[in-house]
């Protein structure tokens, strides 16, 4: 982290509308953001286009936003990890990143819903997979990715 507590290296897991909007926002306000997309072809397309044509086609990516399908590259040396993958896939992704994260990373759950089999909240799944010592925050509320990406108030 940069002096003064400002977060500098941020990974956003999930290149859907919400993950993309969060990545764009974080890069716009000065953080080095890495957006991870599960599918390599999709990651390459949005990396080259500098926009997510599927979910937010008219939102250009800020310069500080990088896109990758390489999970290790996405989470390497981050201070802050935003989990914006669908609830049905979050546990699997967390298992993959559990050995890649450095100690002290703050995890923000931006995933909606409950885990189907266990009925756990996403924050509880994060704690189960990454250990009780992780710092977990939850981002929720009635908001729309397109509003956030356009820097409009959300409600």
């Amino acid at each position: 982290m940069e002096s003064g507590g400002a977060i500098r290296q941020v990974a956003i897991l999930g290149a859907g509308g919400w993950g993309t909007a969060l990545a764009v926002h974080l890069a716009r306000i000065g953080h080095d953001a890495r957006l991870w997309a599960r599918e390599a072809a999709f990651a390459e397309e949005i990396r080259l286009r500098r926009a997510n044509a599927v979910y937010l086609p008219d939102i250009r990516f800020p310069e500080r936003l990088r896109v990758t399908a390489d999970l290790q590259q996405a989470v390497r040396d981050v201070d802050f990890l935003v989990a914006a993958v669908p609830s049905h896939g979050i546990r699997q992704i967390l298992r993959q990143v559990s050995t890649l994260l450095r100690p002290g990373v703050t995890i923000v759950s931006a995933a909606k819903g409950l885990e189907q089999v266990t009925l756990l909240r996403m924050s509880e799944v994060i704690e189960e997979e990454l250990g009780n010592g992780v710092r977990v925050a939850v981002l929720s509320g009635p908001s729309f990715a397109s509003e956030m990406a356009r820097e409009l108030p959300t409600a």
Side-chain angles (χ1 to χ4, degrees):
M1 283 199 192
E2 184 180 67
S3 64
I7 297 164
R8 301 303 303 154
Q9 301 293 322
V10 182
I12 302 87
L13 304 182
W18 190 224
T20 300
L22 291 169
V24 165
H25 173 72
L26 289 164
R28 276 184 186 151
I29 63 172
H31 303 303
D32 293 324
R34 299 179 209 148
L35 177 62
W36 175 79
R38 181 174 35 107
E39 297 176 18
F42 183 59
E44 185 65 4
E45 176 192 327
I46 65 176
R47 185 187 70 76
L48 292 172
R49 183 184 297 260
R50 302 298 299 157
N52 186 330
V54 175
Y55 296 102
L56 295 169
D58 57 339
I59 303 299
R60 299 281 302 151
F61 290 176
E63 187 176 315
R64 295 185 87 136
L65 177 56
R66 302 287 179 250
V67 180
T68 184
D70 183 327
L71 198 53
Q72 184 173 0
Q73 183 182 51
V75 302
R76 181 182 307 126
D77 298 325
V78 296
D79 303 307
F80 194 73
L81 176 74
V82 177
V85 297
S87 58
H88 65 269
I90 198 165
R91 189 177 291 275
Q92 175 191 3
I93 298 302
L94 291 172
R95 284 183 180 159
Q96 292 177 48
V97 301
S98 65
T99 60
L100 303 174
L101 295 174
R102 62 181 185 78
V105 173
T106 298
I107 314 295
V108 175
S109 173
K112 301 175 197 162
L114 302 173
E115 189 175 46
Q116 288 183 341
V117 174
T118 64
L119 300 180
L120 292 174
R121 296 183 314 272
M122 295 301 100
S123 58
E124 293 172 311
V125 173
I126 292 168
E127 288 174 346
E128 268 192 9
E129 290 301 324
L130 300 181
N132 290 331
V134 298
R135 294 179 298 191
V136 180
V138 177
L139 178 62
S140 68
S143 57
F144 296 96
S146 60
E147 290 175 346
M148 182 177 197
R150 288 178 182 82
E151 300 181 272
L152 298 172
T154 62

